[in-house]
Amino acid sequence: MPLIVQKYGGTSVGSIDRIKNVAERVVRTAGQGNKVVVVVSAMSGETDKLISLASQLSAAPSEREMDMLLSSGERVTSALTAMAIEALGQKARSFTGRQAGIITDRDHTKAKIERITGNRIRQALDEGYVVVLAGFQGITETEDVTTLGRGGSDLSAVAIASAVNADLCEIYTDVDGVYTTDPNIVPEARKLEKISYEEMLELASLGAKVLQTRSVEFAMKYRVPVVVRSSFNDNPGTLVVEEDKEMENVVVSGIAYDKNQAKMTVVNVPDKPGIAATLFKAIADANIVVDMIVQNISSDGKFADISFTVPKTDTRKALEVTEAIAKELGAERVDKRDDISKISVIGVGMRTHSGVASKMFQTLAANNINIAMISTSEIKVSCVIDQKYTELAARVLHEVFGLAEATH
Ligand code: ADP
Ligand code: ASP
Ligand code: MG
């Protein structure tokens, strides 16, 4: 019997009516002769609400307690979804991450899955139940509850699909699939029929939240077949698959933006060997992931400005560490900006086509958008710009790279 994993995101389970809609879809899939594992997110807005409650008690709440708190959102929807399915006459059982045996490391609020035992899930499936798994959560070897980072229910879905050897992992969300860019900011965005794991990974890590980055990494590593679809209609979605020849012919296949970065600049630090090493070691020791780095040397070669970006959620921690090191190194001061955003163009075709970066820079310039930082890889070019120009930049780049026209 085929086994299908279906993940429903926050908007898809955002009200009782929507949970009933999910239950109907699940029962239909089961009725077609499939075993079904459903993975649910918290109701939309719920995780943010819980974070805001905690922030009213402390500027830096314990991460262990945050996980206890945040995992509750998914627990609620898993039980409600199981009830809604049973109300339609189909046997269903909900499970927490712990009951499903999702074992993670101890990195609270962004834990990594180490293994999945999954015994109770297999048993429930064999007994004819639809399994409803609370997404976003796991448990450490010593039984502390963990969560898997924002958007982590995608990872729960892909990981459980791999553990139970599912035939397909369907990610149901509030848009019809993966688009050339966020359809909610560029109406001309076009739905892709398929996208390679690698391009999807870039899109996700550069800000397209339609799939969580780590879920794509996991799917790519374990070759989990994923399709992204809408829970509000029956349109075919986007398949995330291995790269094929056709894809290489497309130079740019998508545009992503990320408003969740902050930029730090260490101003006028004496330019001598070891400065960057000292600074970035301290930041890495604080468990902060640095993205872009730019260093400018003054014309007399005596001083340097070092700028870098960090996730906005780590701004406070990053500023503390950077200010301490800046003082030690004899720098003048540290500047912080969080009104920035990163805009990126992505495509595996860039490996074999040139000129993408210059076209991107020219287009931004023609629209009076200043570039503060640049980084490139084989298959992407990213620029840091003023946040207020994000939507404009996405629109003009979408246009200039011809993304609205069907290519594959
Ligand atoms: P869910 O709650 O179902 O997990 P998310 O809000 O996490 O949904 O992700 C879906 C959203 O991702 C869409 O509503 C859309 O605004 C955004 N998005 C950003 N980039 C893209 C893209 N390239 N294709 C589709 N959606 C995108
Ligand atoms: N509820 C969590 C979040 O909002 C996980 C998820 O929705 O995937 O980040
Ligand atoms: Mg999501």
Side-chain angles (χ1 to χ4, degrees):
M1 204 188 231
L3 202 172
I4 297 184
V5 172
Q6 300 189 326
K7 179 258 172 179
Y8 292 92
T11 326
S12 305
V13 292
S15 66
I16 289 297
D17 278 344
R18 289 197 170 163
I19 290 176
K20 284 185 183 166
N21 167 56
V22 164
E24 274 162 25
R25 298 188 77 109
V26 171
V27 170
R28 204 191 323 147
T29 311
Q32 286 160 352
N34 300 294
K35 289 185 179 177
V36 189
V37 176
V38 183
V39 178
V40 285
S41 289
M43 292 169 115
S44 55
E46 187 59 27
T47 308
D48 288 334
K49 202 166 92 195
L50 295 170
I51 292 173
S52 135
L53 287 177
S55 72
Q56 291 171 45
L57 289 169
S58 160
S62 146
E63 292 189 328
R64 179 189 182 278
E65 301 313 327
M66 280 310 281
D67 280 350
M68 281 297 277
L69 178 69
L70 298 188
S71 61
S72 68
E74 272 69 10
R75 194 169 175 142
V76 169
T77 43
S78 65
L80 290 174
T81 305
M83 289 176 199
I85 295 170
E86 293 233 294
L88 296 175
Q90 162 68 51
K91 292 200 299 182
R93 256 194 194 158
S94 63
F95 295 92
T96 62
R98 178 213 178 108
Q99 290 171 318
I102 300 188
I103 316 292
T104 73
D105 63 15
R106 310 196 55 82
D107 197 1
H108 283 290
T109 75
K110 41 181 182 293
K112 284 186 205 67
I113 296 177
E114 286 178 341
R115 64 196 167 84
I116 297 184
T117 57
N119 301 338
R120 295 200 58 189
I121 296 213
R122 281 189 207 93
Q123 196 187 337
L125 286 171
D126 288 345
E127 289 170 4
Y129 288 94
V130 161
V131 164
V132 186
L133 174 66
F136 183 48
Q137 55 186 273
I139 188 116
T140 64
E141 293 285 0
T142 50
E143 304 198 332
D144 280 315
V145 174
T146 49
T147 62
L148 309 175
R150 295 308 303 266
S153 298
D154 294 335
L155 176 60
S156 307
V158 171
I160 201 76
S162 168
V164 297
N165 231 331
D167 297 281
L168 185 60
C169 179
E170 297 180 320
I171 305 286
Y172 284 96
T173 183
D174 55 2
V175 288
D176 283 4
V178 180
Y179 282 69
T180 47
T181 192
D182 187 345
N184 287 323
I185 67 156
V186 180
E188 295 76 28
R190 182 174 49 84
K191 188 178 79 186
L192 300 165
E193 222 175 276
K194 57 183 178 180
I195 185 166
S196 67
Y197 287 114
E198 217 177 342
E199 282 173 319
M200 191 61 239
L201 187 58
E202 288 287 344
L203 264 182
S205 66
L206 293 167
K209 68 171 182 161
V210 60
L211 283 178
Q212 190 216 28
T213 308
R214 277 165 49 193
S215 73
V216 186
E217 267 165 9
F218 197 103
M220 182 160 137
K221 188 161 169 200
Y222 297 102
R223 299 292 154 191
V224 179
V226 173
V227 62
V228 180
R229 304 180 55 178
S230 167
S231 66
F232 303 122
N233 60 47
D234 288 322
N235 296 344
T238 302
L239 285 165
V240 189
V241 290
E242 309 263 352
E243 183 177 329
D244 62 30
K245 273 267 156 280
E246 235 178 286
M247 292 176 181
E248 273 175 35
N249 298 330
V250 183
V251 186
V252 171
S253 50
I255 290 168
Y257 64 90
D258 183 358
K259 294 182 177 177
N260 290 313
Q261 299 256 321
K263 179 179 165 215
M264 310 272 162
T265 305
V266 183
V267 181
N268 275 344
V269 56
D271 185 33
K272 53 180 195 241
I275 295 282
T278 312
L279 174 62
F280 291 112
K281 175 167 187 310
I283 292 175
D285 288 349
N287 239 332
I288 299 168
V289 181
V290 170
D291 181 22
M292 291 192 187
I293 301 177
V294 170
Q295 174 170 323
N296 300 314
I297 312 285
S298 63
S299 51
D300 58 9
K302 287 198 184 120
F303 292 96
D305 287 351
I306 303 180
S307 299
F308 56 93
T309 59
V310 296
K312 223 176 234 175
T313 42
D314 287 333
T315 318
R316 205 179 46 85
K317 213 162 45 165
L319 196 60
E320 262 172 39
V321 176
T322 310
E323 278 178 339
I325 294 288
K327 209 165 176 188
E328 223 174 82
L329 297 173
E332 189 185 314
R333 62 174 198 278
V334 178
D335 289 343
K336 178 204 81 168
R337 273 192 64 189
D338 48 20
D339 57 345
I340 58 157
S341 84
K342 183 170 67 172
I343 184 104
S344 309
V345 299
I346 295 132
V348 286
M350 275 186 219
R351 287 197 203 107
T352 45
H353 296 77
S354 59
V356 172
S358 74
K359 196 163 173 180
M360 179 177 189
F361 304 154
Q362 276 169 32
T363 307
L364 293 176
N367 286 277
N368 266 323
I369 301 172
N370 192 42
I371 301 172
M373 294 170 112
I374 297 169
S375 79
T376 63
S377 82
E378 257 202 314
I379 65 167
K380 68 117 204 258
V381 184
S382 303
C383 295
V384 168
I385 59 172
D386 276 351
Q387 197 170 101
K388 60 178 186 248
Y389 296 127
T390 315
E391 286 76 12
L392 172 65
R395 270 203 313 275
V396 294
L397 291 169
H398 195 266
E399 163 94 47
V400 79
F401 286 108
L403 291 178
E405 293 102 55
T407 38
H408 67 78

